[in-house]
Amino acid sequence: MIKLLIGGSPCTYWSIAQKNNRETEPSGMGWELFKNYLIAKEKFNPDYFLYENNKSAAQAIKDEIKKQFGVWDGTFLTKDTGARYIEINSALVSAQNRYRIYCHNCGDVKQPEDRHIYFRDIFNPNNHKWRAIGKWVYAPFFKNSDKRKIDVLRTFNAEKSYTVTTKKGHPQHYILNEDKSMYTNLTINECEALQTLPINYTQGVPESERYKAVGNGWTAEVIIHILNGALKDMPKDEKIVVLSMYDGIGTGRYCLDKMGFTNVEYHAYEIDKYAMKIAKSNYPDIIQHGDAFQVRDNKWTI
């Protein structure tokens, strides 16, 4: 039996997109959320672990995360712990730019090979309803509805999309035609494809919740790449007991399924009801436990 701990504490408090009261030191609610993962790691005592977060977190936070895991990245701390730190852009395995940090003990994992997947591979302009550009398009996002800001948006023939976000109406979801006179939005199926998830993986909940779920999730193929560092030679019927902290939509369960593992016991901590519904609709065998702060209970166990 193999015990695997996965997860990524919510980056809301650390992300550079957080304009007000962004946490830049290892303290505050963002750090408390991360500590839940550390507590789970100590109590669960996994054979392998994988932790993910946003690369835009302040350097002081990333350095302290490394210390807490005992990471060696070629220059940092000691190699004896087996823990590693790596930064990966999802663009290597998908059609979106998405920069994330990963701490793990899955071996000496290198950067994924570039699969040369481009935005045009997942976007068909003929399937979209195009609208003429108007000032109202910019008003919610750009000061004074400055039309020059259109230059920051992508045309549909761009090589890579921006990072998938949690809101359909976010400017990073706007796509322009070639002469930038018309616009459309990414569909939820395109967002799923950008995260290397199956089409309609998030169906069954309101559309706004589908965008939120995908934007908060993992790029599946990056997770598979890292986990393969530890599991690629393991028999596919080996029992794997998984503890997933901040599980989201069960992407970790999907990854293990795609890797071919057939004997997975999957325990998940998640409180978003729509994310939980998506995860359970795809994998009814997921065991949901609720709030991640429960790992602090003295009697907590899996």
Side-chain angles (χ1 to χ4, degrees):
M1 183 184 77
I2 297 295
K3 295 168 69 176
L4 171 64
L5 173 66
I6 60 175
S9 53
C11 66
T12 307
Y13 301 92
W14 295 346
S15 173
I16 198 170
Q18 173 75 317
K19 302 300 182 183
N20 298 317
N21 302 316
R22 176 182 176 233
E23 296 176 7
T24 57
E25 297 293 332
S27 61
M29 181 52 71
W31 193 252
E32 293 301 313
L33 293 168
F34 169 66
K35 282 172 64 175
N36 289 338
Y37 186 99
L38 291 179
I39 293 168
K41 182 175 180 292
E42 179 180 0
K43 292 184 175 182
F44 184 56
N45 191 26
D47 298 290
Y48 300 106
F49 74 89
L50 169 59
Y51 175 81
E52 175 266 1
N53 218 295
N54 197 320
K55 185 185 174 183
S56 71
Q59 192 61 49
I61 291 174
K62 290 187 287 190
D63 285 346
E64 188 61 26
I65 288 173
K66 290 180 182 181
K67 290 180 181 179
Q68 292 297 322
F69 284 127
V71 158
W72 179 81
D73 65 357
T75 58
F76 201 92
L77 297 182
T78 172
K79 192 173 182 178
D80 296 339
T81 65
R84 298 289 190 274
Y85 170 91
I86 189 170
E87 298 177 356
I88 297 177
N89 183 0
S90 296
L92 292 170
V93 298
S94 75
Q96 72 163 322
N97 282 305
R98 190 181 188 89
Y99 294 89
R100 293 294 184 267
I101 65 171
Y102 302 89
C103 291
H104 66 89
N105 67 338
C106 296
D108 191 16
V109 175
K110 306 297 185 183
Q111 291 290 320
E113 291 186 8
D114 190 344
R115 300 182 187 180
H116 303 287
I117 302 171
Y118 302 109
F119 186 58
R120 61 179 175 268
D121 297 325
I122 63 97
F123 182 84
N124 185 343
N126 296 323
N127 291 340
H128 282 257
K129 181 178 179 180
W130 294 85
R131 298 174 176 85
I133 292 296
K135 284 188 176 181
W136 68 269
V137 175
Y138 314 101
F141 313 110
F142 304 123
K143 292 182 179 179
N144 303 318
S145 302
D146 187 352
K147 291 189 70 172
R148 288 175 299 176
K149 295 292 186 180
I150 198 171
D151 292 335
V152 307
L153 304 180
R154 297 290 173 93
T155 56
F156 68 78
N157 59 358
E159 286 196 357
K160 303 288 182 179
S161 82
Y162 288 118
T163 301
V164 171
T165 68
T166 58
K167 294 181 180 179
K168 177 182 179 180
H170 192 281
Q172 290 184 193
H173 284 187
Y174 285 150
I175 305 301
L176 307 175
N177 65 350
E178 289 184 283
D179 66 6
K180 297 186 177 182
S181 64
M182 306 283 287
Y183 80 98
T184 189
N185 297 102
L186 288 175
T187 67
I188 185 59
N189 287 160
E190 288 161 351
C191 291
E192 289 166 333
L194 290 171
Q195 287 285 57
T196 63
L197 289 168
I199 299 303
N200 287 324
Y201 182 85
T202 60
Q203 64 185 347
V205 302
E207 186 179 74
S208 61
E209 296 297 333
R210 296 180 70 182
Y211 279 95
K212 178 182 175 183
V214 174
N216 280 331
W218 281 345
T219 306
E221 288 297 321
V222 175
I223 302 303
I224 290 172
H225 171 74
I226 296 173
L227 291 181
N228 266 327
L231 307 179
K232 64 180 179 180
D233 296 325
M234 184 181 299
K236 299 305 182 183
D237 60 352
E238 179 83 21
K239 183 170 184 178
I240 303 178
V241 178
V242 180
L243 173 57
S244 178
M245 301 294 294
Y246 312 104
D247 184 59
I249 56 177
T251 303
R253 181 69 180 82
Y254 164 73
C255 291
L256 291 168
D257 185 68
K258 187 174 182 182
M259 293 167 73
F261 292 103
T262 59
N263 190 8
V264 178
E265 181 182 313
Y266 195 92
H267 297 262
Y269 279 87
E270 179 56 62
I271 59 173
D272 185 292
K273 67 177 183 180
Y274 294 109
M276 293 165 66
K277 184 175 181 179
I278 291 168
K280 291 287 281 186
S281 68
N282 287 285
Y283 297 100
D285 62 338
I286 290 178
I287 304 167
Q288 293 283 359
H289 292 277
D291 193 326
F293 279 92
Q294 293 182 61
V295 301
R296 301 189 182 207
D297 293 346
N298 291 334
K299 296 182 179 180
W300 178 89
T301 186
I302 289 293

